[in-house]
Amino acid sequence: MFDYETLRCIWWLFLGVLLIGVAVMMGFDLGIAVLLPFLGKTDTERRVIINSVGATWEGNQTWFVTAGGALFAAFPMVYSVAFSGFYLALLLTLFALMMRPLGFDYRSKLPSERWRSNWDKALFVGGFVPALIFGVAFGNLLQGVPFHLDNDMRIFYDGSFWSLLNPFALLSGLLSVAMLTTHGAVYLQLRTEGEIQQRCEKAVMLFTIMMLVIFALAGVWVANIDGYAITSNILHDAPSNPLNKVVEKTAGLWMHNYQQYPLLILVPSLGFMAGVLTILLSKQQYLKSAFVSSSLTITSIILTAGVSMFPFLIPASQSINHSLTVWDASSSHTTLAIMFWVTVVFLPLIIVYTSWVFRVLSGKITLEHIHNNDHTAY
Amino acid sequence: MISESVVDLSRWQFAATSLYHFLFVPLTLGLSFLLAIMESTYLMTGREIYKDMTQFWGKLFGINFALGVATGLTMEFEFGMNWSYFSHYVGDVFGAPLAIEGLMAFFLEATFVGLFFFGWDKLTKWQHLIVTWLVAFGTNLSALWILVANGWMQNPVGADFNYETMRMEVTHFADLIFNPAAQVKFVHTVAAGYTTAAAFVLGISAYYMLNGRDAAFARRSYTIAAGFGLAACLSVIVLGDESGYTDGEVQKAKLAAIEAEWHTEPPPASFTAIGFPDQEKMETAYAIKIPWVLGLIGTRSIDEPITGLTEILEKNRVRVRNGMKAYGLLQTLRTGEKTPETIAEFNRYKKDLGYGMLLKRYTEKVVDATDAQIELAAQYSIPRVVPLFWTFRVMVGCGFIMLGVFIWAMFASSLRRCRQTTLLKWSLYMMPLPWIACETGWFVAEFGRQPWTIAEVLPTFLSASSLTEWDLYISLSGFIGLYTLFLVIELFLMLKFIKLGPSSLHKGRYHFEIAEGVDHV
């Protein structure tokens, strides 16, 4: 039905949709976990915070699991290079993420104060570490990753764990933390009342400003670091072989797409506008709109990274010709087509039933709610 | 070439983390259905006790589910982290069922599981029942897709090697889904999960009855578990995984290794019930053989032979030589000399390419392999018999003991005479058996496929990522440390709530609440 070139573009978009899904849905859970020790002063308040996402975090996290699966299916080489190259960073993320199911489910099953405060710490780690590392990973993708391929397509990673933690990547990490914490604060403001809600409002203000400042700073920085471009002819419908092209690496090349299509500048601009709007809406107590606006900010920030790099997925910083792009790191035409149909059938279905579940569980989580459900609430 | 110790450490890590993950999966698979059955009974009879049962067993389900989720994430990460060459080489095929699993099953399960726990007051009874069934349906659907992926590793149908991309690519996706190896695996695995959950509920209910607590609650739970368990246990045994072992050469080798079938016997082959296999001499000492049985189990017929290991080895010697040619031709193609003759020649030999790659263990170039190296590679293509022979018998032994107890429990329950101490003790003490059977079962399935990750296509030692030993030491010790801690915490909580029993629901009508004189809340 679709030709190979179109399907590759569609799958680049789907991947974007899934990543945005991760940031919007799982993002507020992570952000709320980061806020947990700061906004919850008593055990009951912390339980209010935890229960604001207690019944839905699991479905939210599935966006992440599915994005991983879709990356594997649609761009297997990208999945292989990223996961094996960032080995220790991902191990750390994995260990942090494991704290979440246990933290949510086990924390309030026992009354012991020490038991609960340890799980609170675990939940914080489970929110903060993944949020940071997702950003660090993006920061490294923008700079290029030191890997090369041999003729059998075996992957060799030539960097170290510590080289991932360079200044630009750390700045991206902070951007990600600020962005998801803002999002968490907006959601929490929507689901709570009284003092916690007021604290949320301040957090929204603080983290949105932080996010926008870092976003601007990162933008200026990206304009000056080495970007990548394909200089040889590349067939958009050839079998995926990342060894068949010539790549150039020069400072400022990431601005190339904006020079060619000036309208793209709307994408980051929208991010700034939506960010400011989030603060205003949160102040005026239009909380559902604030959540939409915050989601829009996230969408713009992620898309900004995406359109700056297109068609690159993972630039190779040393053997630059081995860079992985949309045109030469995808699955076969057949697999992309099959997965396209599976996605267009199931993704809308998922959105429908997820919305229904959120509607059923909507409403404020209050201190009384926790008192009345002492034995069943998280 | 990646170092052998990195491969070994990667294998240990994957084996440890996946076997650990599978401590929690079978209970989730089965208990979700038991919860749905209990809740359906609640709606049909309108009796509160069935709601209490759903909620109490649901609490234990939740404690188990959390660790299943936590350790399941590891599996998805590890393919890319530790097996990046595998992920590149077969991602086009193998990635699809994993992605479909996410879209079709995980979302369903994970989105509704929260409503199962927190939706009791927000939904009508019928809505809640539907939610519970959807959770059960979702968990089992996820098993389907992961076993489609695993079935393809055992019997890689519907895909072909593409020399331009240097990987396997999908040709017939339907073959992948209807792969007989996957179908059999799915039925066998979910039935094993149902058996596990039934044994779990049966054992704990027996414990309450032995202690004279919460009689009505325990007896009802016991009866449901006995019926469900008997049906499940019969399915596990009748629909044994080995019935799928006739498709694919590696499956045949696995079956021969499990049975220590050194030579092809005239059909129907006899079953070696017990004995002491010796791989070097290729014979089994003190073998006690039961005529006909293996042929019947393995082929479901009396006239098909079961191939012996000697004959498989003989074939594989030829295939390694052909694979060597295929590998040489592939190198020519990769350098750009794509003449029609070379392509045709390559297509003739490419089904043996994997066997050629086995030679990489002995010589980097493959095409210069000596006769001695070819012999080594052929020997290496045969799985190790002793561990498979014994683990398989442990699994089967556990299965038959459980079947006996379930039959007994079913009869006693239907005669309303399940409160006999001997039966209850048997029910309680057999609780570890389903887990032992599940773990040994997976060992047989995966160790029996060696030396391949994808049968006949990709050797295990080539599949691993090019990591350093230190990467592996760090990750392996991290997993061991964290997983041990998690297990201690989980068992502590599980035992605490099992001991509390339905009193943990704070409904005011169970053992400890009545004993302590707590009023109805």
Side-chain angles (χ1 to χ4, degrees), chain A residues 4 18 51 54-70 72-73 76-77 79-81 83-88 90-91 93-95 97-99 101-102 105-106 109-111 115 119 150-157 239-241 243 329-336 338-339 342-343 346-347 350 353-354 356-357 360-362 369 373 375-378, chain B residues 2 13 59 62-67 69-71 73-74 76-82 84-88 91-92 94-96 98-100 102-104 106-108 110-115 117-118 121-123 127 131 162 164-167 169-171 173 327 331 334 360 461-467 471-472 474-475 478-479 482-483 486 489-490 492-493 496-497 504 506:
Chain A
Y4 201 10
L18 285 168
N51 280 281
T56 46
W57 77 271
E58 215 138 12
N60 294 343
Q61 181 145 307
T62 310
W63 283 90
F64 175 65
V65 176
T66 302
F72 195 177
M77 192 40 120
Y79 168 78
S80 308
V81 168
F83 278 59
S84 62
F86 299 158
Y87 188 77
L88 291 178
L90 275 165
L91 189 73
T93 314
L94 182 61
F95 287 162
L97 285 174
M98 280 180 192
M99 301 297 165
L102 303 186
D105 199 78
Y106 293 178
K109 282 213 157 47
L110 296 181
W115 169 270
W119 283 120
D150 72 6
N151 194 40
D152 287 342
M153 307 300 276
R154 180 170 279 286
I155 302 154
F156 295 90
Y157 181 69
S240 291
N241 180 1
L243 304 178
S330 81
S331 278
S332 63
H333 193 170
T334 317
T335 299
L336 289 186
I338 293 165
M339 290 312 300
V342 174
T343 310
F346 283 96
L347 204 58
I350 289 163
Y353 64 64
T354 302
W356 181 73
V357 168
V360 169
L361 293 165
S362 67
H369 173 86
N373 297 283
H375 299 295
T376 50
Y378 279 156
Chain B
I2 51 171
Q13 181 172 308
K59 239 183 215 298
I63 295 172
N64 172 73
F65 189 75
L67 255 184
V69 171
T71 57
L73 207 52
T74 308
E76 197 197 30
F77 273 57
E78 266 181 336
F79 292 119
M81 284 170 66
N82 293 90
S84 61
Y85 197 61
F86 168 95
S87 302
H88 153 69
D92 192 82
F94 187 83
L98 291 198
I100 299 176
L103 288 162
M104 203 183 270
F106 283 153
F107 262 114
L108 198 63
T111 307
F112 286 107
V113 80
L115 264 193
F117 288 115
F118 299 103
D121 303 327
K122 300 185 188 258
L123 297 169
Q127 282 176 328
V131 164
N162 181 346
E164 306 235 36
T165 53
M166 193 68 201
R167 66 181 182 196
E169 292 180 355
V170 171
T171 51
F173 196 68
Y327 190 84
Q331 299 315 308
R334 297 280 299 168
K360 279 235 173 199
F461 68 92
L462 289 178
S463 308
S465 301
S466 312
L467 297 165
D471 289 331
L472 267 303
I474 293 170
S475 57
F479 277 117
L482 263 186
Y483 276 18
F486 288 167
I489 294 170
E490 200 250 13
F492 166 72
L493 261 189
K496 190 172 171 70
F497 277 91
S504 63
H506 297 272

Side-chain angles (χ1 to χ4, degrees), chain B residues 229-300:
Chain B
L230 179 58
C233 198
L234 273 174
S235 318
V236 171
I237 292 171
V238 175
L239 305 167
D241 193 32
E242 76 280 3
S243 54
Y245 283 8
T246 46
D247 302 283
E249 294 299 316
V250 171
Q251 296 278 80
K252 285 182 190 165
K254 192 193 290 181
L255 182 61
I258 288 168
E259 300 305 348
E261 172 99 339
W262 302 109
H263 305 282
T264 310
E265 285 182 48
S270 58
F271 175 76
T272 310
I274 210 94
F276 293 90
D278 181 333
Q279 187 135 15
E280 270 180 26
K281 293 188 197 151
M282 295 195 92
E283 61 182 39
T284 307
Y286 310 109
I288 300 171
K289 293 195 166 197
I290 310 171
W292 282 47
V293 172
L294 177 57
L296 288 174
I297 298 176
T299 66
R300 300 286 194 271

